[in-house]
Amino acid sequence: MNSENQIQTILAAQRAFFATGQTLNLQWRIAALKKLKTAILNYETELTTALTQDLHKPLLESYSSELVLVINEINYALKNLKKWGRPQKVPASLLTFPSQNYVVKEPYGVVLVIAPWNYPVQLALAPLAGAIAAGNCVILKPSELAPATATVLERLINSTFDSEYITIITGDAAVSQGLLEERFDKIFFTGSPTVGRIVMEKAARYLTPVTLELGGKSPCIVDKNVDLEVAAKRIIWGKFFNAGQTCVAPDYLLVDQAIKKPFYAAMQKYLIKFFGTNPETSPDLARIINLRHFQRLETYLASGKIIWGGRSNPEQLYIEPTIMEITDLESPVMQEEIFGPILPVIDYTNRNEIFNIINRHPNPLALYVFSKDKAFVVTILKRIPFGGGCVNDTLSHLTNHHLPFGGRGTSGIGNYHGKYSFEVFSHSKAVLKKGFSCDLPQKYPPYKETHRLIRKFLLK
Ligand code: NAD
């Protein structure tokens, strides 16, 4: 299935199918979205079982952050697709009067969607839903690091769609590289900044537009003027959801020194409440995806003073939810995105320190600030560039399909969710339509002194 020739055969079939114009029909797309929704519901148990196999994902997390998010995306597209797909009228300008002007959303054509392993259902199927809504043919490449989920996704897609319309190609980085050798009309990639660079380089050869949903070190600021209990509860939840393997998880905390001690106590209280005193036996904590990532995370455990946690078990790919105090910003845990259940805490005495620390890893995918001080919150939101985030909460911004989801700089290019998912897979085609009467004679040569009129009326 995955040799160069086979990829080219599938691509040629998809190009031919796209050229028939069937996907331009909104009813076609609506029917395809309904098929996808039915398939997901039919495969519900297989998907959640696979997520348990790959990540030991708690059932609630599988539903809330994988299946429900995708079904919501599909439902929202189904509700709005006719409206989104209509040409949007815009006013004529002084220079184009009289004319009708509108923007037509047209599909790119054949698009490639590459997904990561941490939310292997959501991050494969939510972009797929957007690509279908916008009228594209799709080649979907799930992550090889969540193999049970990739296998179920393969069956789900193969039993639902003809391969000339939507194809899934499973495999590792080499397969992904093989795909990137080909010309697509759009590439939507979710994964690490390192691979994001490779994707963009490959796409550049064909000038293929890319959307890159990447990661980074997302800070979480805890001001002294705060409800400690609520802040601790929401941070512990957001950090240890999916065992910290979330692109928008709070990567590290910046805590006002004045409240550091009571804040540690509040976080410990919620760690015990959520996962018990031996979290290894908790059914509500996911596992690390594989031994390589486990070993990477284990080395971080020596990076600072452990305040809570610190135990691990390679056989279970288990790392205990860990809070760690950091005094040296050069320590290994502060160099890369952690992507695991380890939460470094750095304290500050002067609020200006916050900006310097965050600027060591600029343009994070997410930022969280907990404070009752409105002016402080406004300053943080204004002065620090980041993809998206929350005030007094974590993760939740990505669950609102009215908000665009994406990064900036090293955390990504472009965004999606809700209507943005339709737009990210559509080209905005500008159309100006004129009748045959009513023409301004001055715009045609010989121009004579017309420039004087232009200068007088338009150059101001
Ligand atoms: P990854 O970049 O290693 O892999 C992502 C995909 O790229 C996989 O399908 C993989 O097969 C493929 N791939 C791997 N190496 C490749 C190469 N050399 N050439 C071409 N393709 C290659 O990422 P991951 O480990 O699966 O996911 C973790 C990263 O993804 C983290 O950085 C995380 O922050 C980020 N992430 C971002 C979002 C988001 O929405 N912004 C969501 C989830 C994860």
Side-chain angles (χ1 to χ4, degrees):
M1 155 66 82
N2 301 331
S3 75
E4 192 184 319
N5 276 348
Q6 283 158 329
I7 289 173
Q8 285 167 355
T9 307
I10 291 168
L11 255 171
Q14 291 211 346
R15 289 208 178 285
F17 181 68
F18 183 75
T20 65
Q22 289 210 51
T23 67
L24 298 179
N25 183 329
L26 288 183
Q27 288 306 335
W28 167 277
R29 303 184 203 173
I30 288 170
L33 285 171
K34 284 183 178 164
K35 272 172 137 183
L36 179 61
K37 179 176 169 179
T38 306
I40 294 168
L41 298 178
N42 287 342
Y43 278 84
E44 173 188 332
T45 310
E46 287 186 57
L47 288 169
T48 53
T49 306
L51 289 166
T52 308
Q53 284 169 12
D54 285 332
L55 282 147
H56 193 265
K57 222 175 244 232
L59 209 50
L60 179 131
E61 294 188 13
S62 291
Y63 278 106
S64 65
S65 64
E66 302 259 17
L67 302 192
V68 169
L69 277 186
V70 179
I71 294 291
N72 275 351
E73 278 281 301
I74 296 174
N75 286 343
Y76 191 65
L78 283 171
K79 202 168 149 206
N80 292 287
L81 191 52
K82 284 191 183 143
K83 188 171 70 192
W84 297 340
R86 254 181 242 140
Q88 295 153 18
K89 276 196 160 182
V90 294
S93 70
L94 199 58
L95 290 173
T96 63
F97 183 82
S99 63
Q100 289 170 26
N101 295 257
Y102 45 96
V103 181
V104 178
K105 296 286 180 186
E106 70 178 10
Y108 278 109
V110 177
V111 306
L112 173 64
V113 173
I114 302 179
W117 54 263
N118 60 334
Y119 291 87
V121 176
Q122 184 220 137
L123 297 172
L125 299 186
L128 173 65
I132 291 173
N136 298 280
C137 292
V138 186
I139 292 186
L140 173 63
K141 155 71 181 77
S143 171
E144 71 282 14
L145 299 188
T149 309
T151 302
V152 178
L153 286 175
E154 191 172 24
R155 291 219 308 280
L156 186 156
I157 296 294
N158 287 341
S159 62
T160 309
F161 298 109
D162 290 335
S163 63
E164 61 184 7
Y165 176 34
I166 293 164
T167 304
I168 182 163
I169 295 185
T170 56
D172 58 10
V175 170
S176 196
Q177 283 160 1
L179 285 163
L180 291 170
E181 291 304 321
E182 304 301 327
R183 183 176 69 78
F184 286 88
D185 301 307
K186 163 94 195 185
I187 299 175
F188 187 103
F189 170 81
T190 308
S192 59
T194 309
V195 180
R197 280 186 190 95
I198 296 172
V199 171
M200 201 164 169
E201 267 180 36
K202 294 286 182 189
R205 288 179 313 161
Y206 301 111
L207 293 178
T208 299
V210 290
T211 297
L212 303 176
E213 296 282 338
L214 311 176
K217 282 186 99 56
S218 297
C220 178
I221 303 158
V222 187
D223 181 34
K224 61 178 178 232
N225 192 352
V226 78
D227 183 325
L228 284 180
E229 288 276 318
V230 176
K233 181 171 66 179
R234 293 179 185 167
I235 290 168
I236 295 301
W237 169 75
K239 174 69 189 186
F240 298 107
F241 198 93
N242 201 25
Q245 299 165 114
T246 304
C247 55
V248 286
D251 187 275
Y252 60 97
L253 292 190
L254 289 163
V255 178
D256 193 308
Q257 215 259 339
I259 50 127
K260 187 174 76 175
K261 288 272 155 61
F263 195 62
Y264 281 154
M267 288 199 290
Q268 284 169 23
K269 174 180 154 183
Y270 282 100
L271 278 165
I272 295 172
K273 211 170 168 182
F274 292 173
F275 307 114
T277 47
N278 181 11
E280 192 167 358
T281 59
S282 166
D284 298 323
L285 188 68
R287 293 294 182 262
I288 306 310
I289 186 71
N290 59 25
L291 194 59
R292 182 171 66 83
H293 279 285
F294 173 89
Q295 285 165 344
R296 177 183 63 82
L297 289 164
E298 212 184 21
T299 62
Y300 289 153
L301 292 173
S303 274
K305 180 178 148 202
I306 304 251
I307 303 295
W308 183 261
R311 291 175 288 185
S312 58
N313 178 355
E315 274 158 32
Q316 292 296 317
L317 296 176
Y318 164 76
I319 297 211
E320 188 174 15
T322 298
I323 294 175
M324 173 185 284
E325 189 164 283
I326 297 291
T327 44
D328 177 8
L329 292 174
E330 299 301 331
S331 79
V333 78
M334 288 307 295
Q335 306 314 308
E336 301 282 338
E337 178 182 9
I338 298 168
F339 223 56
I342 299 170
L343 182 59
V345 180
I346 298 154
D347 64 31
Y348 62 86
T349 43
N350 180 334
R351 283 172 166 178
N352 284 329
E353 293 169 50
I354 293 171
F355 303 100
N356 296 334
I357 295 170
I358 292 177
N359 279 338
R360 295 167 67 93
H361 301 278
N363 298 310
L365 181 59
L367 179 142
Y368 307 107
V369 52
F370 286 78
S371 179
K372 291 182 180 173
D373 180 340
K374 287 184 187 157
F376 173 62
V377 169
V378 168
T379 306
I380 293 291
L381 296 182
K382 261 194 183 166
R383 280 192 48 193
I384 304 178
F386 59 94
C390 305
V391 178
N392 299 330
D393 203 1
T394 59
L395 310 191
S396 302
H397 61 296
L398 82 82
T399 63
N400 180 359
H401 56 252
H402 299 294
L403 290 172
F405 178 69
R408 52 172 294 163
T410 50
S411 62
I413 297 174
N415 50 55
Y416 73 129
H417 286 182
K419 188 178 180 196
Y420 303 98
S421 295
F422 173 80
E423 292 190 338
V424 81
F425 286 105
S426 304
H427 166 68
S428 295
K429 186 193 255 175
V431 179
L432 180 149
K433 186 174 160 194
K434 277 198 165 197
F436 286 102
S437 54
C438 205
D439 231 353
L440 268 181
Q442 289 86 347
K443 82 175 192 187
Y444 298 104
Y447 298 127
K448 295 185 184 158
E449 295 299 303
T450 310
H451 70 274
R452 293 194 195 287
L453 278 175
I454 301 233
R455 271 199 73 216
K456 185 160 181 203
F457 293 109
L458 298 182
L459 204 64
K460 56 184 175 187

